Every structure is written in C-alpha cells, then in structure tokens.
Amino acid sequence: MSMFKPSILTIALATAGLTSMSGFAAEQQTTANEDLEVIEVKGFRRSLIQAIDTKRFSSSVVEAISAEDIGKLPDSSIAESIARLPGLAAQRLDGRASSITIRGMGEDFSTTTFNGREQVSIGDNRGVEYDLYPSEVISEVVVYKTPDASLTTQGIGGTVDLRSTRPLSAGEQSITANVRFEQNEMDAVNPEMDNKGYRGSFGYVDQFADDTIGVAFAYAHMESPNQEQRWNAWGYDPSGADGDLRLQGAKPYARSSELTRDSFLGVLEFAPSDKLHITADAMYVDFEDKQILRGIELPLNSGRADTNYETLATNGGVVTQGQVNNIKTLVRNDVNFRTADLLALGFNVEYDINDSWQVAADVSYSKVERDVWGLESYAATGRGDNEGLGDNLQYRLDSGMAGAIFTPTLDYSDRDLFQLGAARTWGSSAVGGDGQDGFLNRPHVEDELASLKLSAKTFIENSPISQVEFGVNYSSREKDKQDTGEYLRLKQYPEMVRIPDEYYLGSVSLDFIGMGDMIAYDSLALYNSGAYDSFNQADTDTGRWANIWTVQEDILTAYVKADLDTELFGLPARGNVGLQIVNTDQSSDGYAVDSDPDTGLVRVQSNRAGDKYTEFLPSLNLNLSLTEDQMLRFGLARTMSRSRMDRMNASNSYSFDAAKNNVTTPPTNLENSPWSASGGNPSLRPVIANQIDLSYEYYFSAEGYFAAALFHKDIEDWQFNTQIVGDFADVDTPNGEVPITNQGLVSAWDNVGDAKVSGLELTATLPGNILSDSLEGFGTVISATFLDSSLDNLNGEKEEIPGLSDKVYNWTLYYENYGFQARVSMRYRSDFLGEVNGLSLARTTVVVAEETIWDAQIGYDFSESSIEALQGLTVSLQAQNLTDEPFVTYHDGNKATVRDYQSYGANYLLGFAYKF
C-alpha cells in the first residue's frame, strides 16, 4: 500500500490556495527534447480545483468557493454561489437569494464571518443578508460544517467565512475591470421605474519592496432592477357552507425595485521578515433598495356588514369560485426604501518568536445602520365603510397556485372615481376611525461589534501532537432597534381629494389578476408636498413600544486546540481535539407598556434585565488517509447558536387586573396574579447541539472527487413561546395600588424543547477527461442532501424546524476549453418553513413551496485567441431564473390556500471583464 502523509507546510499552503497536491495550475506533458509544456487551467475550472483543494486539506469538514481574480466569482451574488454548495440552500427575498440554510438549519443557527471575524447584521437578528456583500470584493468562501476549538464564531448549522484577497499570496500585480449590463425580461411594471441596470467593478493587487508589502483595492457599484407580480392573500376562514375555507381578502401588487450598492475593499499586508506578518483590511458597503408597489386591497371578509359573499364552487374544502358584492376596495400606491451602511475593519499581526512558538493578535470592529422607510398611500371611491361605490367582484382561485383571477365591475384607472382617502374604518382614536389615509413605517436598527483575539501556538516535533494552540477571544456587541410608525391623514380630512395633476402618472397593469389597469400616482412626491398630517402610532399602540429594545452581549471565550499528526490502525491520521469555555454576560433595555383604559394613551416605563452563563464546548476532528486519494473523516462536537436578539429584548406589553388584586393573600397559582404580560426574555440561553459526523472522500483527479457524509445533531434547549415567570417589582401599578405580588406570567420565548436533525450528503465532481480525452473541458458538479428531523412542541405535536428542506439538489454542467466557457446550473429545495415580511414589516413564519431555479452562462476568454489587441478580455452572458420560477408560500401549510405567489421573470447580464 502506498502511504500518503502530507506535511503540515504542504497542507497549510494548499488550504491557503498557494499550491495544490493535485497540481491544480497545470498539466505537464514531456516533449521529445524533455521540455515541459504547461497547459494552464483557468476560469471556472481553476476556481473549482482551488475549492477542491481547500476541502481536501482542511482538518474540518468544509465546503469552499474560490475566485480566479477579484470580481470573478462564478455567480453574480455571494448567496447564489454559496447556495450551490453541498448541504446548503438559499431563500429568496424579493427575487434575490439572500439567507442561507446549512444542513437544514436556517440563518438563526449559523454564523457569518468576514476574514474570520463575526459580522453584524442589517436584520433584526443575527442572520446575515448575503446580497449586502458584493461578489466582486470576495475572493473565497469557506463553509465550516464541523468546528474546531479555534473557531470562536461557531453555530449549530455551521460557519460561513467570507474572505478577501491577500495581495502577498497573489504573487504578481493584477489590475482587473468588470462591467455587466443587466435587464429583466419583464417590462417595468411601474411607470417611473426601469427594467435595465448595470454593475461595474475595479480591482488592483500589487506587491512592493521585494514582496514585503502588498496592497489590494476593490470598488464595485451596482444598480440592479427587479420586477415582480405578486399575489398575496390575507388568509382563509371556515365561513363557507360545510366549513369550507373562504378567501378573507387579498393584497396583490405590481412591484418594481432597484438595488443600488457601492462597495469598497482595501487590504494592506506587511511582511518585513519571515517572523513578522501584519495584515489590515477594511470594507465599506453603502446599500439602498428602492421599491415601488402598486395594487388593490380587497377586503372580502364576510364579517363586514357591507359584503355579500356567495359561494359558486368548492374543491377539497376550499371555495374556489365566489361572488362578493358591494366591496369597498382600497387602491394602494406604496414606496419602500431600505438603506444600510456597513463598515468592517480588521487588523492582524503574527510573530514567530522562534522555531517553536508563534503568537498572534487580531482586533476587529464592525457596525451597520439600517433604515426602512415604508410609505402607504390610499385611494378609494368614498371614505369609511359605508360611503362611495362598492365593487361586485367574482373570483376564481387558479389551479396553478398563482392566486386568484378577479372579474371587477369598477374601472380602477378612473381618476374621478378613485380619490385620495381611506375606504375603511381602520384608523385609531388618534386619527378617527375613518381617518387613516396612509401609513408610514420607520424602523431603525444599529448593530455594533468589537472583538479582540489573542493566541499562541507551539510546534512539537516527533509527537502525535504536531502543535498546540490556545488563546482567548473577547467580543462586545450591542444591537438597538427603534420601531416607529405614523398614521397619515389628509389635511383636507374628512374630504376626499382628487389626485393632483402634478402627481398623476397614468396607470399600472394588474392584468395578471384580472383587475385591468389601476391608477398610478407619485405618492412619495405627494407626501413630501405636505399633503398629510402625521400622528405617532406609539401614542396609542403598545405594540410599537414593545418592539423597541437594545440587547448587549459581552462574550469571553478561552480555548485550547491540539493538532494531531499520527497513525491509526497503521494509516496516516491527522485532525484536532480541543475545548472552548464560553462565558456570556447578556442584558437588554426596553420598555414595559400598557394602555390607559380611560384615555387610550400608552403608559411607558423603562425595563432592564439580563443573565450570565458559561458553556463548555469540546470538539474532535479526525481524518484517516485510507490511500493517497481516499479519506475517512470523523467528527464530534458540542456546538451552540445564540438566541435571536428580538426574542432577548426586555420590552413587554403588560396589564394589571385590579379585580385580581382585591384579595388578602398572594396567589399560589400565578394565573390568578393581577400581573400578566407578553414580550421578550432577556435570560434566553443558546440552543445547544451535540453532533456527530462521518464522511468518506475520494479524490480521483485534480478536478474530480466523490464524497458521502452522514451527520446527526441532537439539539437541546430549543425555544418555544410559553408562559414564564416575570418580576414586576419595578413596574408602577395604575392608580398607585399596592400589588399583592410582584410576580406574574409572561408569554415569551423560553428554552424548553429538544429536537433532532439527521442527514446524508452525496457530492460528485466529474471532469469529462476521466472518461475520454475527447471530453477534455467538460465536467459536472452534482450534490444531493437528504434530511430528517424531529421536533415536538409543548403540546406534543410535530413541528417543522425553520429552514429545513427534506431534499436539496444542486447540479452544474460546464464546458471550459480553448477560451470558451459555458455552464448551466440547477438548484432545488423542497418545502420548508421560512420567514417573510408581514404586517408593519414584522417577520412572519410561513411554509415556502419547493422550487427549482435554473441559471446559465456562456463566455469567451480572448486570452486564448490569436487576437493580440483583445488579450485580457473576457465576454460573458448570464441568465438567472431562466424558467421564471415563482416564490410561493402557503397559509398553515395547506397547499390549497396560497398566501404568496411572486413572479420575477428571468434576468440577463452581459459582461465584459479585462485583466491588465
């Protein structure tokens, strides 16, 4: 048997992408005169080989993506590239791949880092939206499926590390420029928007002073359009004959958006000697997503007195055709802006004291600020429930899950018929029942994280332990959410107002739901003109205050890891064993709020709570080299994912029942306490998993390998919304009453459940040349993941784990030779539990339907041509979402009751890249 035992240096170099045991850069042929002709592998194939090398020589179970140059990742977004990796899947947000699931665990159970440092998030929690990160400034992505003790940013699902280029590793000067012109196959569905955009980037890498100083700079700009035809149903209630489910109402839209993003990356490396290595990097992202939404709100709810609901047909317990008369519909012209500024700074220094000891320090800081500005503007035929002309609507639920097709009797493009004002009595005491003529959501999030990591390594010769690393990592994070909303009422209230000429834009087509043309106007300009008076919703709504909070975390992690390099059963074995000790001090500031029963005004009091705890997280990775090309991996670990931050908030809506306070002794059953509340739980602990991994890998060529992996996660401290004991000692009682007890029940999240997740991953990368020399340049990458889970709620009922699809498939067929490049890719995931935006932009859990997304790309690298003037130029044409796969969600998981049906159309990009 041929024994293969790569050296530590070889493994380190291969993992860093500096060399390859499989000879990724060239295939050598010996000529008659003993000269070597080097056939350079470039483009997608080179990226593929680099990624395979990263996986092969890692001591943990990882997946990787590699870029040939800055701005040349295989896909146009980070999320799309990551979603093609085995065991990973993406959820789309407004047509773009955004959040990532790893081995069935959603974004709440994974961690994202940039150059090894944990990243802040523009969302309300920890999950990263990957479309914030441009592919143009990322050179490599490594996904850790099993942790080691030095990975201080682990999660139950895994860790995604986004990496920028390292200029000294590049070895030569590189100047690259890219531009891609983009067009959606849908015409712009709103008159003031466009279906065309572009992306451009510039990258520069160089080395100076005898390769002791390296610099890299990248800038990327994007203006990306997106179109959408959206069906949205309020819900379905059992109000029909025999309890048939009947459509309550609908809110379909035609949406146009433009995502504008500017990104800057700078890297400085300094290595004045073999002993000292210093790296500093900085990234800044300026992000704006502008959305125009126009549609009709259709309140079909039979509970309203002015409706007359007639069932015309049913199927499977659902009313599939109906007639609803005298419906007071509402025309919506909405504008949303979502903006964010992200700054990430890092500084790392490594110093070799001698041949046996190395010390390192890493300090980082990141901060993001996100604002959402969501304007709703209403027009109707009359004010309130009983004024104006109602519509007599027929509807038919589409058998293809695309929602309903309506047959209206009103002309929704009639500017004289539909005027500014509210068609429903949906207002509050602040504006009057019929005075809500619009609304403005204005949530603001700030997330700030600073960390310091100190470590040391000692190298050991002639021992089964090749080196020992130990260190500490301290991080301090603070996330703050301010959630404000404003009722908007026309200054001419109670009069309805004809849409002024200067804001009138014509019409928008809603033919996709049968509603014909709908009136369109510039609601943003109307708002800016001062047409509305505004009223703070928080004055009369406790929910706004309950969604305002700050969460702080101070985390100290001490770790020790021993790298193994030995033999087991007579075979080479390497890996690591280690332990993390994680101490956490968490707290939250918020508000305890209730509503004055006499005035309806909100009463607010400050609230603060928190907790401290320590977790011990051991880990083992063991890799056995069966042959030079075959490997068996085994992993054991205890991992954790910190709680969602919106669940950790100290805010709650409380009530004090004076009738229950009229007793002489404190109640023994807190259900009889005068206090009750609903809100967050600042004492929430992490969700913990004990996991085991076993995988087999066979690397049969430079471009080809096969892998099969089994894993199981035994999860504890799962979170459910339940009743916990709350302390109300610092909360004032109404009218100064003396409470008989300071304790009461709070409806909040708590660590009270267990779950299990098991899976099988199969992966193969097959280059055509292993079958025949005539297939040189052809190849395929294919993976399949099969998952099984178990989660019982507090009532013993089965529940789904968020983000888990039972089946995930990825397939890519490629050809790359003689400068020609062609790829077609498919990614599939079965139904899963996902999150979407709900009322007032709150995150809502829904069942997301299975989807299959096809992408394709063709191109030519003129460096392979004989046209000297075009050397360095690459031209490409990409097509995304070729089959216009819709995004579909269901109410309560019932596939007959579609909640969302969103169609985006295919997207095309024509790109030109030049390398100087």
Side-chain angles (χ1 to χ4, degrees), residues 390 517 635 653 745 797 839 870:
D517 289 341
S653 299
L745 294 179
E797 300 166 333
L839 188 65
L870 297 180

Side-chain angles (χ1 to χ4, degrees), residues 17 22 81 206 249 255 266-267 309 320 339 354 362 382 408 415 426 449-450 456 510 589 606 637 878 913 916:
S22 55
S81 295
D206 210 344
R255 179 186 63 83
V267 182
Y309 207 133
T320 56
T339 61
N354 51 41
D362 189 278
R415 187 175 164 199
W426 290 347
L449 174 64
L510 297 180
D589 293 285
S606 297
Q878 290 176 275
F916 297 90

Side-chain angles (χ1 to χ4, degrees), residues 191-429:
E192 70 271 52
M193 300 294 284
D194 200 350
N195 69 339
K196 299 180 180 66
Y198 73 97
R199 311 177 186 200
S201 66
F202 172 81
Y204 171 71
V205 178
D206 210 344
Q207 303 80 33
F208 305 94
D210 295 326
D211 291 339
T212 60
I213 298 175
V215 295
F217 171 79
Y219 167 71
H221 176 77
M222 178 175 76
E223 295 180 13
S224 177
N226 186 266
Q227 310 297 322
E228 177 189 346
Q229 293 177 336
R230 174 192 299 181
W231 159 261
N232 176 265
W234 291 0
Y236 300 79
D237 67 82
S239 301
D242 301 321
D244 293 327
L245 294 175
R246 187 159 65 183
L247 181 63
Q248 287 181 308
K251 190 165 59 176
Y253 281 114
R255 179 186 63 83
S256 300
S257 69
E258 183 176 76
L259 180 63
T260 302
R261 184 181 62 202
D262 286 285
S263 310
F264 302 85
L265 171 72
V267 182
L268 174 65
E269 273 191 293
F270 180 48
S273 68
D274 293 338
K275 292 180 175 293
L276 180 63
H277 185 216
I278 299 173
T279 306
D281 55 72
M283 180 175 64
Y284 174 75
V285 180
D286 182 28
F287 170 100
E288 179 185 89
D289 187 12
K290 175 185 178 181
Q291 299 185 349
I292 303 294
L293 304 95
R294 292 191 171 92
I296 303 172
E297 198 143 3
L298 303 164
L300 310 178
N301 192 326
S302 61
R304 297 194 179 277
D306 59 344
T307 64
N308 179 6
Y309 207 133
E310 179 184 358
T311 296
L312 301 178
T314 63
N315 184 17
V318 178
V319 176
T320 56
Q321 292 188 48
Q323 171 81 36
V324 192
N325 296 323
N326 196 29
I327 292 296
K328 290 294 296 299
T329 55
L330 196 68
V331 168
R332 299 264 305 251
N333 279 249
D334 297 355
V335 181
N336 290 335
F337 287 94
R338 190 167 63 112
T339 61
D341 292 290
L342 169 68
L343 175 66
L345 305 172
F347 179 81
N348 179 275
V349 57
E350 297 177 354
Y351 182 70
D352 293 342
I353 298 175
N354 51 41
D355 291 340
S356 299
W357 283 92
Q358 181 188 83
V359 293
D362 189 278
V363 60
S364 63
Y365 172 83
S366 61
K367 182 179 182 179
V368 68
E369 293 190 33
R370 184 214 72 192
D371 286 284
V372 176
W373 195 89
L375 173 67
E376 302 174 6
S377 177
Y378 313 145
T381 62
R383 182 172 293 281
D385 288 337
N386 301 312
E387 299 295 330
L389 187 62
D391 198 353
N392 299 325
L393 283 170
Q394 275 196 16
Y395 77 88
R396 181 189 76 256
L397 287 180
D398 183 12
S399 60
M401 302 187 304
I405 300 297
F406 293 91
T407 304
T409 58
L410 297 182
D411 180 1
Y412 285 85
S413 65
D414 189 339
R415 187 175 164 199
D416 293 317
L417 179 60
F418 284 90
Q419 300 187 3
L420 298 174
R424 284 297 186 181
T425 308
W426 290 347
S428 73
S429 59

Side-chain angles (χ1 to χ4, degrees), residues 9-22:
L9 177 60
T10 301
I11 293 171
L13 290 173
T15 304
L18 301 181
T19 185
S20 167
M21 297 298 300
S22 55

Side-chain angles (χ1 to χ4, degrees), residues 623-652:
N623 309 312
L624 195 65
S625 296
L626 304 178
T627 68
E628 184 174 342
D629 301 318
Q630 299 181 70
M631 182 183 301
L632 191 66
R633 296 183 186 266
F634 175 73
L636 284 173
R638 181 174 174 85
T639 60
M640 74 176 192
S641 292
R642 300 185 182 279
S643 173
R644 290 172 55 129
M645 301 182 99
D646 60 350
R647 296 177 181 176
M648 295 169 60
N649 81 82
S651 292
N652 61 70

